[in-house]
Amino acid sequence: MPTTGRRERKKAQTRRALSEAALRLFCEHGYDGVTVAQIADEADVSIATLFAHVPDGKEALIFDDGAERPVWLAAAVRDRPPGQSVLQSLRRCMAARGPFTNDLPPELRRKRDLIVSTPALREYSRKLWIAGEGTLAEAIATESGRAPSDMTVRALARYVLEIPGLAGTEPDPLAALNAVFDLLESGWPESPEEVTDRPG
């Protein structure tokens, strides 16, 4: 048992060293100006070791595995205060994270800014968000008394998980997030012209 503990600690230590090396090099030279070999060298590991820890390659190096995202989103839905809607709880939860808050330590702000400004990292981040669709849909379904396979449940989960990618690069990300949640909460507002011109 102690051996497993040491092995896990060693793996976590190597993964952390790779992440820190990648972030440092990306910030200094730009994402496209850094190779996997340079990151492995900076972290003092072999390229084989790097890929053993991060099979997805360079774009995955500064991210965790994404497993926590659906967990805290589902918890926000499940553990919301009485009287707070599912969408209100998700809005509050997301507004306190990533590109939507400035209440981050310098290291995390650096990482956030790098992700937002780098297309390959933004796309990888989006993949991590979307991977949580099933978990979030299940939480929404449970709270709304619907089946997780219900298209409206799946659509709502997907829309919410697309918000970081859509709103995160806007000049005011928090305002953009709120605009999307306003739309999800109230539906698409019809203009007077649309109502007047509608047949029948």
Side-chain angles (χ1 to χ4, degrees):
M1 193 70 166
T3 310
T4 306
R6 279 198 300 274
R7 190 181 302 122
E8 291 307 312
R9 283 197 301 274
K10 178 68 175 165
K11 276 174 67 177
Q13 188 179 9
T14 302
R15 182 69 178 82
R16 190 164 51 251
L18 285 165
S19 181
E20 289 168 359
L23 181 61
R24 195 162 50 246
L25 290 172
F26 291 161
C27 287
E28 286 173 12
H29 307 289
Y31 175 81
D32 293 325
V34 178
T35 65
V36 168
Q38 287 171 316
I39 295 166
D41 190 52
E42 180 81 2
D44 197 25
V45 300
S46 68
I47 294 178
T49 298
L50 183 151
F51 279 110
H53 285 272
V54 192
D56 284 353
K58 194 169 80 162
E59 62 267 37
L61 278 163
I62 64 167
F63 294 94
D64 56 29
D65 62 7
E68 288 301 308
R69 297 181 196 212
V71 171
W72 50 254
L73 283 169
V77 170
R78 193 177 52 248
D79 304 333
R80 69 193 190 282
Q84 188 176 93
S85 72
V86 165
L87 281 170
Q88 285 169 341
S89 68
L90 287 169
R91 184 198 294 245
R92 284 175 186 244
C93 180
M94 294 182 86
R97 288 174 165 80
F100 307 112
T101 179
N102 284 317
D103 189 21
L104 291 172
E107 192 70 5
L108 286 180
R109 196 176 304 129
R110 217 166 130 222
K111 185 187 286 193
R112 185 267 314 271
D113 293 346
L114 176 70
I115 293 167
V116 167
S117 64
T118 308
L121 297 178
R122 286 202 310 270
E123 183 54 32
Y124 190 81
S125 177
R126 179 179 176 270
K127 277 170 54 181
L128 293 179
W129 281 106
I130 297 302
E133 184 183 318
T135 303
L136 181 56
E138 201 168 305
I140 293 170
T142 300
E143 294 302 307
S144 60
R146 304 184 188 206
S149 58
D150 184 317
M151 178 50 71
T152 59
V153 169
R154 290 167 51 208
L156 183 59
R158 172 64 69 91
Y159 295 157
V160 167
L161 294 172
E162 290 284 6
I163 291 173
L166 280 171
T169 55
E170 289 296 301
D172 185 341
L174 183 58
L177 172 137
N178 283 323
V180 178
F181 270 107
D182 287 346
L183 173 63
L184 291 175
E185 287 180 357
S186 62
W188 183 255
E190 288 190 301
S191 69
E193 292 78 13
E194 288 174 316
V195 176
T196 305
D197 295 343
R198 183 186 291 166

